[in-house]
Amino acid sequence: MPRAAQRRLHVLRRPKLRQSWSKYNLYNLWRQRDPKIGFADHETFFQQKWRAKGLLRAYHGEHIKERDWERMFSRRLLSVANMNPRYMAENDGSEMAAGRGSGRDIVQRWKSDVVEPKTITPYMNMAFAPMERRLDIAIFRAMFASSARQARHFVVHGKVKVNGKVMHYPAYKLNPGDMFQVDPDSVLFATGQPKKKGGSNARQASKAPQDNAEAEPAAEEAEGAEAKAAEAAEASEAPEQDPETTDKPEAAKADMKPTRQAIQKLTKQAKSILARNRDVSTSQKQNLRSFLKRAKPLLSKAGRSTATPTDILGELNSMVKELNLSDPSTETAATPTESSSEKATRQEPPRSIDDLNAEELKALQRLIHEEEENPADPAKPYHTPWKPRDYMSPFAFIPRYLEVNQNVCSAVYLRHPVARVGSAEVPTPFGYQINQLAFNWYLRRR
């Protein structure tokens, strides 16, 4: 049977907005226009509600079955009233409560030429408020996943804990005070830049011989393979010898501990220089920064089974040679008769890296701190050092009913979302009228 086609969630011809950080979804959000539902006479009220429901359901929980959402739907819309705290401190609020809804608490200005429109409370924008209680939706709102479907994937695979216990049900309804936590590696994978596709090829290329001197012995062995095969055939006719004398001893594994200690010693020396707080020039700072960036991957490379001390020390020596710490202010000027070849061959005596100024020491200290907090680890499934993924900033929004701590990848569901005067706490890309029609669709009695 033919393979089923992959479902396209971000169609550009007839777009539907989704709970996703995809760049295609961002493009659909940018070109989204008011659908103008209810402004034409050729649509019945049933058709208007049907269209509005379809638009909102494509965004709010499109991975949830319709019958499951209908069981979650609630006719009760939570809201709060903004009260003046000074007035409430001076009065008990009885006269305001008595006139609420009748207009007695509002001073009417009948003679005013300009009548300001009254700010309403968008109750209808709370139509999908029960959906925000789901665990997968809350994970997406807390910016621990790049889409609601990815948040569901984390929950199903045991990457999420609720109140300290692993929760495998994405439809779990959070209650006020519940704390949920996501595996930090999963969060970094979801919100960070993807790993480059050429990473595995680069590792294979690093294992290959780098110079012709290493490639020549391999070529000689390949050319003499036939001769060795002939000698082995002749030796098979001779009587067998003692295996202990014929077998070649296995090559001993190289000890990389001294090499790793040498790299760590240089890194430790750089940190000790920061504590002394000396002066250094801008070029020296750049050289040190380049050295520290290359020392961390070299240390991880030295821990591989295929690494040899000769290769690691050779690369380390080249890094130390490139670490030019000579002060350009103290260099002697070249004589007019000095040729360019003499300038290239002339070597200035290297200076100690103890000469650092205060600003450059702070920059170097900040760089080492970043290397310690955000190191380069090729074993991680995401790009290291970690960087936020592209097109993430337009979606960087956390609702007020969530208290999020990004350091430990945990959040607390404080309360249910509510509507206030002029705003509602349920994030939605559609306006008040679309939400009102959708709410009326689910409000019908069956």
Side-chain angles (χ1 to χ4, degrees):
M1 296 179 63
R3 184 179 178 181
Q6 186 179 2
R7 184 180 179 185
R8 298 179 61 187
L9 297 178
H10 308 287
V11 182
L12 300 180
R13 180 174 298 179
R14 300 182 61 184
K16 290 186 178 180
L17 306 183
R18 310 287 184 180
Q19 291 179 345
S20 172
W21 295 356
S22 172
K23 60 182 179 180
Y24 303 105
N25 188 52
L26 179 62
Y27 174 74
N28 292 335
L29 282 169
W30 171 76
R31 70 170 186 171
Q32 173 67 17
R33 301 294 182 265
D34 188 3
K36 302 291 184 179
I37 300 178
F39 290 89
D41 296 336
H42 64 276
E43 289 184 339
T44 63
F45 188 48
F46 178 90
Q47 293 174 338
Q48 295 174 15
K49 294 188 296 183
W50 175 267
R51 284 187 57 197
K53 185 266 296 185
L55 292 174
L56 285 173
R57 282 290 287 120
Y59 178 80
H60 294 277
E62 50 87 17
H63 61 288
I64 302 171
K65 296 180 180 179
E66 185 70 11
R67 60 175 179 270
D68 295 339
W69 157 242
E70 290 179 353
R71 285 195 294 266
M72 285 189 293
F73 175 75
S74 175
R75 292 178 172 85
R76 185 181 63 171
L77 302 176
L78 301 180
S79 63
V80 294
N82 298 332
M83 306 295 291
N84 189 354
R86 183 172 181 178
Y87 172 82
M88 295 298 297
E90 296 175 354
N91 304 277
D92 57 355
S94 58
E95 60 274 5
M96 181 175 289
R100 179 161 297 179
S102 61
R104 299 179 183 177
D105 57 335
I106 301 176
V107 179
Q108 302 293 340
R109 299 180 179 179
W110 303 107
K111 297 182 180 180
S112 177
D113 297 334
V114 179
V115 179
E116 297 180 358
K118 182 180 179 180
T119 304
I120 63 173
T121 302
Y123 296 101
M124 297 295 105
N125 286 7
M126 302 292 296
F128 288 87
M131 191 79 75
E132 303 297 316
R133 292 184 57 187
R134 283 180 57 102
L135 180 59
D136 53 355
I137 302 297
I139 292 172
F140 172 71
R141 298 299 186 196
M143 296 185 64
F144 292 155
S146 60
S147 64
R149 287 177 172 267
Q150 190 178 47
R152 181 184 181 276
H153 176 82
F154 290 163
V155 177
V156 170
H157 287 269
K159 304 296 184 180
V160 181
K161 293 182 179 180
V162 176
N163 297 330
K165 296 182 180 180
V166 179
M167 177 59 62
H168 294 279
Y169 303 101
Y172 176 79
K173 305 298 187 299
L174 294 172
N175 297 314
D178 286 349
M179 184 182 69
F180 57 92
Q181 185 176 6
V182 188
D183 180 41
D185 285 340
S186 300
V187 176
L188 294 175
F189 172 77
T191 60
Q193 291 185 1
K195 205 169 192 177
K196 294 183 179 179
K197 295 182 179 180
S200 60
N201 298 333
R203 289 195 295 270
Q204 294 177 2
S206 63
K207 298 178 182 179
Q210 300 296 331
D211 51 357
N212 297 331
E214 298 179 0
E216 289 178 358
E220 293 177 357
E221 292 179 2
E223 292 176 357
E226 297 180 357
K228 292 181 180 180
E231 294 176 0
E234 295 178 358
S236 61
E237 300 178 357
E240 295 183 358
Q241 298 181 3
D242 188 5
E244 296 180 357
T245 60
T246 56
D247 292 346
K248 296 181 180 180
E250 295 182 358
K253 186 177 180 180
D255 186 12
M256 299 298 299
K257 186 175 180 180
T259 308
R260 293 175 59 87
Q261 290 178 354
I263 302 174
Q264 293 173 355
K265 185 178 179 180
L266 291 176
T267 307
K268 186 177 180 180
Q269 184 180 4
K271 294 181 181 179
S272 63
I273 294 170
L274 295 176
R276 298 176 189 175
N277 196 9
R278 298 292 181 87
D279 296 337
V280 75
S281 62
T282 304
S283 61
Q284 294 171 355
K285 178 187 68 174
Q286 294 176 354
N287 294 337
L288 286 173
R289 185 177 300 172
S290 176
F291 176 79
L292 289 174
K293 285 183 178 180
R294 297 172 58 184
K296 197 74 174 180
L298 185 63
L299 184 61
S300 62
K301 183 180 179 181
R304 300 176 185 173
S305 59
T306 58
T308 59
T310 306
D311 298 340
I312 301 300
L313 289 177
E315 188 172 353
L316 183 61
N317 291 334
S318 64
M319 291 169 55
V320 174
K321 290 180 180 178
E322 294 177 2
L323 187 60
N324 186 15
L325 297 177
S326 59
D327 192 358
S329 61
T330 60
E331 292 182 354
T332 58
T335 60
T337 60
E338 187 178 7
S339 61
S340 60
S341 61
E342 294 177 352
K343 293 179 182 179
T345 56
R346 182 170 58 86
Q347 295 181 358
E348 297 294 338
R351 296 182 59 198
S352 175
I353 56 176
D354 298 343
D355 300 333
L356 295 171
N357 58 34
E359 297 180 357
E360 293 163 353
L361 280 175
K362 290 181 180 179
L364 185 59
Q365 186 176 9
R366 183 171 60 253
L367 178 63
I368 292 181
H369 179 71
E370 292 177 357
E371 289 288 340
E372 293 178 352
E373 294 292 331
N374 190 14
D377 189 357
K380 296 296 183 181
Y382 47 85
H383 181 271
T384 54
W386 186 89
K387 295 180 181 179
R389 60 177 294 171
D390 299 332
Y391 310 103
M392 180 180 175
S393 57
F395 302 98
F397 167 76
I398 298 177
R400 299 177 62 180
Y401 55 84
L402 290 177
E403 184 69 25
V404 181
N405 188 344
Q406 288 84 2
N407 295 328
V408 293
C409 299
S410 62
V412 178
Y413 185 78
L414 299 176
R415 51 176 173 77
H416 299 317
V418 297
R420 304 175 184 273
V421 178
S423 64
E425 292 183 346
V426 176
T428 178
F430 298 97
Y432 180 83
Q433 187 175 4
I434 306 299
N435 284 268
Q436 183 180 22
L437 292 172
F439 181 78
N440 286 318
W441 168 269
Y442 292 108
L443 196 61
R444 68 188 191 281
R445 299 183 181 274
R446 299 188 182 277

